[in-house]
DNA sequence: TACATAAGCGCTACATCATAACACCCATAC
DNA sequence: GTATGGGTGTTATGATGTAGCGCTTATGTA
């Protein structure tokens, strides 16, 4: 279950399961999965891919919902803050978390051609990084790993 | 914009050494370290922290040099492409490479308060990431690790 | 009930980051 | 010479992200 993005799978149930789990987690922790937040999560889940904030706005607009930038950014902030999504810094885009609820160092395999994103699990930050941090008195809060390259679909097309 | 250079090293020679090495590397590889590129590298070396493209432009402007955005971005593209600098995606900013010429996975410890950046060495991408990549046929080109937190100077102020 | 407080939302306006595209210069190569 | 290609200077524009205001709604308190 390390990754889902490049596999074939039952995507409809993959989405509904993730939504249910998010709802449950919010209920249990006094968080509000408002319609806007829920819809943005749904959009992210629909693609297993990095989606830009303005792409999300485009979808919301088609739904007839409010679609000014802060709408998307506020929902995304909520989702990222509570672990339902991650920001892919290299793409200035967002992706639904593949391991919500589990403590993990997010690690992404980002296809340079099609922007598909696979999320791998890395249990802890590499030792050499932690050693350096300790040596200089740096206190790590959050670690992200981003690898770029070519996915199985796109690699052949490049050769 | 205080200069937060390390107190613990000879920063002037740290800069000039890095510049000399960059010059030598360019000579040996048929690359042109033009005045603009050299000056931008110098600016990055001067701070041991992430510097935004528009901050660099501001310095160039004070030097009386051309200072439209493409000037900075083109120089930065060159420096990043040839390993003299890295882009810190989380900050949309740039930092001189601390290990030029050595093959390495760049790994950064980024202070959330003062933007100070320490570059650690990670020899290879974590095994679990490589395993996932192999399992799904993903071909990794480039891996970057960004850890955010508080540096030794800023951690006490937060507690 | 009445009221205070806080969170969320809709919106305008703006700030920040990055690139497209074109004209010009100049070195090297045929 | 003159074609080619890299680097530069410039204008204009695109893409990404935020501050802040007024409004509504949920929730706690008396
Ligand atoms: Zn799915
Ligand atoms: Zn791909
Ligand atoms: Zn130094
Ligand atoms: Zn700091």
């Amino acid at each position: 279950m390390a990754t889902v993005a490049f596999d074939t799978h039952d995507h409809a149930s993959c989405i509904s399961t993730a939504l249910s789990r998010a709802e449950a987690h919010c209920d249990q922790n006094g968080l509000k999965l408002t319609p806007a937040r829920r819809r943005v999560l749904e959009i992210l889940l629909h693609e297993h891919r990095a989606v830009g904030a303005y792409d999300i706005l485009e979808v919301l607009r088609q739904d007839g919902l409010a679609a000014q930038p802060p709408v998307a950014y506020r929902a995304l902030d909520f989702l990222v803050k509570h672990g339902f999504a991650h920001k892919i810094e290299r793409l200035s885009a967002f992706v639904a978390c593949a391991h919500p609820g589990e403590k993990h160092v997010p690690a992404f395999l980002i296809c340079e051609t099609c922007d598909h994103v696979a999320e791998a699990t890395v249990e802890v930050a590499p030792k050499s990084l932690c050693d350096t941090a300790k040596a200089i008195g740096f206190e790590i809060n959050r670690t992200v790993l981003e690898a770029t390259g070519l996915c199985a679909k796109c690699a052949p097309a490049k050769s």
Side-chain angles (χ1 to χ4, degrees), chain A residues 19 23-24 53-54 68 71 82 104 114 122 134 151-152:
Chain A
L19 277 175
E23 271 167 6
Y54 282 74
Q68 288 68 34
V71 172
H82 296 104
H104 61 293
C114 69
V122 173
K134 191 165 288 182
C151 76

Side-chain angles (χ1 to χ4, degrees), chain A residues 21-84:
Chain A
R21 293 179 66 174
E23 271 167 6
H25 183 267
C26 286
D27 281 354
Q28 288 162 22
N29 294 84
L31 304 173
K32 293 184 204 168
L33 192 63
T34 64
R37 291 167 177 176
R38 192 191 146 95
R39 183 71 184 109
V40 171
L41 177 55
E42 198 174 21
I43 292 166
L44 291 181
L45 286 165
H46 186 261
E47 319 275 332
H48 281 287
R49 213 179 72 173
V51 184
Y54 282 74
D55 294 333
I56 289 169
L57 281 176
E58 190 52 44
V59 177
L60 293 179
R61 198 162 284 141
Q62 285 165 18
D63 290 358
L65 299 178
Q68 288 68 34
V71 172
Y73 283 104
R74 288 197 284 230
L76 288 166
D77 284 348
F78 172 88
L79 295 174
V80 169
K81 181 175 179 185
H82 296 104
F84 303 120

Side-chain angles (χ1 to χ4, degrees), chain A residues 6 44 46 98 131 138 148:
Chain A
F6 303 111
L44 291 181
H46 186 261
D131 288 348
F138 188 98
T148 54

